[in-house]
Amino acid sequence: MTTLNGIVVFDLDGTLVDTTDAHVMSFSRAFQEMGYEPPSCEQIRGLLGKPGPDIIRSLMPRLSEDEITRISQRKRKIFREDLVALVKPLPYVKQVIQEIGKKFHLAIASNSVTDLISLILESAGIDPNLFRVMAGPDTVKNLSLIHI
């Protein structure tokens, strides 16, 4: 058995997978379904990478926290149920993960919650079991607490 030399931590969105269109469409539909004029796709796209509530807050700063939560929950539901199928692996990611995984443990740190990380990976055709650690805001605040 090969001894692994440490851990390589990846971000998810934009590093391993392309989720841009699915996230943009999810936000747009959530705004529309909740009775708001959706911001432009370019405005939404420019904020991706931040947590969902922060994106909503940036786009519509006058909304109450309750309304931000409602839109964020609707967006997550739309993404999970209707649009996660649009997620694609970025070029050569599968090959790179396989090669790096031969020498290092693999991990993901993301703004996405852990079960969504798995769903996104599976939708992109990437086996979530390749990753020793998947950390989202629902699991670990400090990755230094994880002992491999």
Side-chain angles (χ1 to χ4, degrees):
M1 181 173 164
T2 304
T3 301
L4 298 180
N5 299 313
I7 188 166
V8 175
V9 181
F10 293 93
D11 184 22
L12 181 63
D13 300 293
T15 302
L16 299 178
V17 296
D18 181 359
T19 57
T20 301
D21 290 342
H23 280 301
V24 169
M25 291 169 56
S26 298
F27 275 112
S28 186
R29 275 185 45 195
F31 281 120
Q32 190 170 32
E33 289 179 16
M34 300 300 285
Y36 297 99
E37 180 69 29
S40 72
C41 292
E42 292 76 26
Q43 288 175 299
I44 297 169
R45 190 174 282 112
L47 295 169
L48 292 179
K50 295 181 178 186
D54 292 348
I55 292 173
I56 296 165
R57 208 173 279 111
S58 294
L59 293 168
M60 297 193 172
R62 296 179 189 210
L63 293 179
S64 70
E65 287 303 310
D66 286 345
E67 192 65 2
I68 289 169
T69 298
R70 287 181 46 222
I71 294 168
S72 181
Q73 289 170 344
R74 183 66 191 132
K75 183 268 176 197
R76 282 194 302 268
K77 185 174 170 84
I78 292 166
F79 183 89
R80 284 176 187 266
E81 293 178 0
D82 298 341
L83 298 173
V84 76
L86 297 176
V87 172
K88 303 288 182 239
L90 289 169
Y92 306 107
V93 160
K94 292 178 185 179
Q95 297 91 325
V96 169
I97 289 171
Q98 291 290 335
E99 286 303 310
I100 293 174
K102 291 176 183 176
K103 295 185 179 181
F104 298 93
H105 295 287
L106 302 177
I108 293 178
S110 176
N111 283 329
S112 296
V113 294
T114 308
D115 68 322
L116 185 56
I117 294 170
S118 291
L119 179 62
I120 289 169
L121 289 171
E122 288 169 358
S123 293
I126 299 170
D127 182 2
N129 295 314
L130 294 171
F131 297 90
R132 178 94 182 254
V133 176
M134 289 190 284
D138 60 320
T139 54
V140 179
K141 297 290 183 196
N142 183 347
L143 286 178
S144 68
L145 299 175
I146 299 172
H147 299 286
I148 303 287

